Amino acid sequence: MFIRLAASRAFAVSALAATLPVTARAADSAAQDVVKKMEAVYAGAKSFDGVVTINQVGTPLAGKPSSNTIVQKIKFRAPNMFQVQMSATATGANAAKAASFGRTISSDGKTLYDYSPSLKQYRKSPAPPTVSLMQLFRQLMPNPNAPGLTLTPASATGHAVYTVQIKPMAPATFPPTITAEQKARYLEQIKAAKPVQYTIDKQNYHLLKIYQPGTRSNITFDFSQQNVNAAVAPTAFAFTPPAGSKEFTPPPGMGAPGAPGGMTPAPRPR
């Protein structure tokens, strides 16, 4: 589980809310249908080629303006070939750290490489026997059973789209293991949380955009150049560590990287 999305407060609150009973109405059935059809597209994909661009703009650190852009070029071919190439730029407080977000993770079906250009190091291990496109996208997909899931017809860039949003809702009861302090903090987050919005193409049910507002910064995930089930040659997943890079051997107990479990880290909105 090494391709991670650093889940924002809005995502985290939505995930917890989905596990608790709520006083408000259940998810909109029409919204559920759209989300399930979207997930079916990616779950059934045998190959994929596309780009995800993550933009964060705001004042997340001590009120200082900053922006971060992470570009991910993603290729996938069942049963276990994939490559994610990540690059980043930033302004403000994170400008000096942008290079550390650069990364290439590649499996040619036999060997899995995890390469960091900034460290000039790579980890190598046997490729996982199976990987699905949904494993790469899992943490970005909305929960179709999440309370507060609603659907609004909309239009964007000249073609019809759906807008699905999830607004976290306060639970009717809390598990006994949650302390009063945790309950108060959670309710405060629920009150401040804004809906996470998903834009989905009406024609092919491709996920086009996620807009994730925060109190001090906003994050947008733009999905572009998507080719689902298009031909992707096995040679596209070949990777050779650049000259001068060194293999990193993890210490005992750290283990080797496994199958991917989500998207790349994104700055956390505040």
Side-chain angles (χ1 to χ4, degrees), residues 180-219:
E181 181 181 356
Q182 290 173 326
K183 177 180 177 181
R185 187 186 312 119
Y186 176 74
L187 291 175
E188 181 182 351
Q189 292 175 351
I190 282 283
K191 184 177 180 180
K194 300 176 182 178
V196 179
Q197 299 176 355
Y198 300 81
T199 302
I200 300 167
D201 193 302
K202 265 190 173 182
Q203 182 175 359
N204 54 26
Y205 290 94
H206 288 179
L207 178 59
L208 302 178
K209 178 179 291 188
I210 303 173
Y211 177 62
Q212 186 180 331
T215 55
R216 289 189 292 177
S217 64
N218 303 318
I219 294 181

Side-chain angles (χ1 to χ4, degrees), residues 33-262:
D33 182 62
V34 170
V35 170
K36 289 177 180 178
K37 287 180 178 178
M38 177 190 68
E39 290 194 339
V41 170
Y42 296 104
K46 300 301 181 183
S47 63
F48 178 84
D49 186 3
V51 177
V52 180
T53 303
I54 307 170
N55 287 292
Q56 181 193 32
V57 179
T59 56
L61 299 174
K64 297 180 180 180
S66 66
S67 65
N68 307 278
T69 300
I70 300 174
V71 178
Q72 304 178 89
K73 297 179 180 180
I74 303 171
K75 296 181 185 294
F76 166 79
R77 174 173 169 151
N80 64 343
M81 295 183 181
F82 64 92
Q83 187 173 92
V84 182
Q85 293 180 314
M86 294 170 266
S87 60
T89 57
T91 63
N94 289 326
K97 302 177 182 179
S100 65
F101 283 97
R103 196 171 177 187
T104 296
I105 302 168
S106 185
S107 167
D108 63 1
K110 297 180 179 179
T111 304
L112 175 65
Y113 285 96
D114 185 354
Y115 172 65
S116 169
S118 63
L119 298 176
K120 295 184 178 180
Q121 292 183 342
Y122 64 92
R123 294 177 65 182
K124 183 172 69 172
S125 66
T130 58
V131 173
S132 69
L133 186 60
M134 281 296 288
Q135 283 178 276
L136 296 175
F137 285 169
R138 179 68 268 170
Q139 292 188 36
L140 292 181
M141 294 295 176
N143 177 3
N145 298 314
L149 184 72
T150 57
L151 176 67
T152 304
S155 61
T157 61
H159 64 275
V161 300
Y162 293 111
T163 298
V164 173
Q165 68 177 24
I166 297 178
K167 169 62 177 174
M169 295 183 176
T173 60
F174 285 87
T177 54
I178 294 182
T179 67
E181 181 181 356
Q182 290 173 326
K183 177 180 177 181
R185 187 186 312 119
Y186 176 74
L187 291 175
E188 181 182 351
Q189 292 175 351
I190 282 283
K191 184 177 180 180
K194 300 176 182 178
V196 179
Q197 299 176 355
Y198 300 81
T199 302
I200 300 167
D201 193 302
K202 265 190 173 182
Q203 182 175 359
N204 54 26
Y205 290 94
H206 288 179
L207 178 59
L208 302 178
K209 178 179 291 188
I210 303 173
Y211 177 62
Q212 186 180 331
T215 55
R216 289 189 292 177
S217 64
N218 303 318
I219 294 181
T220 300
F221 298 76
D222 284 301
F223 296 74
S224 62
Q225 302 175 44
Q226 295 187 75
N227 293 296
V228 180
N229 290 324
V232 182
T235 54
F237 305 96
F239 178 80
T240 301
S245 60
K246 296 182 179 180
E247 183 173 359
F248 171 73
T249 302
M254 183 174 178

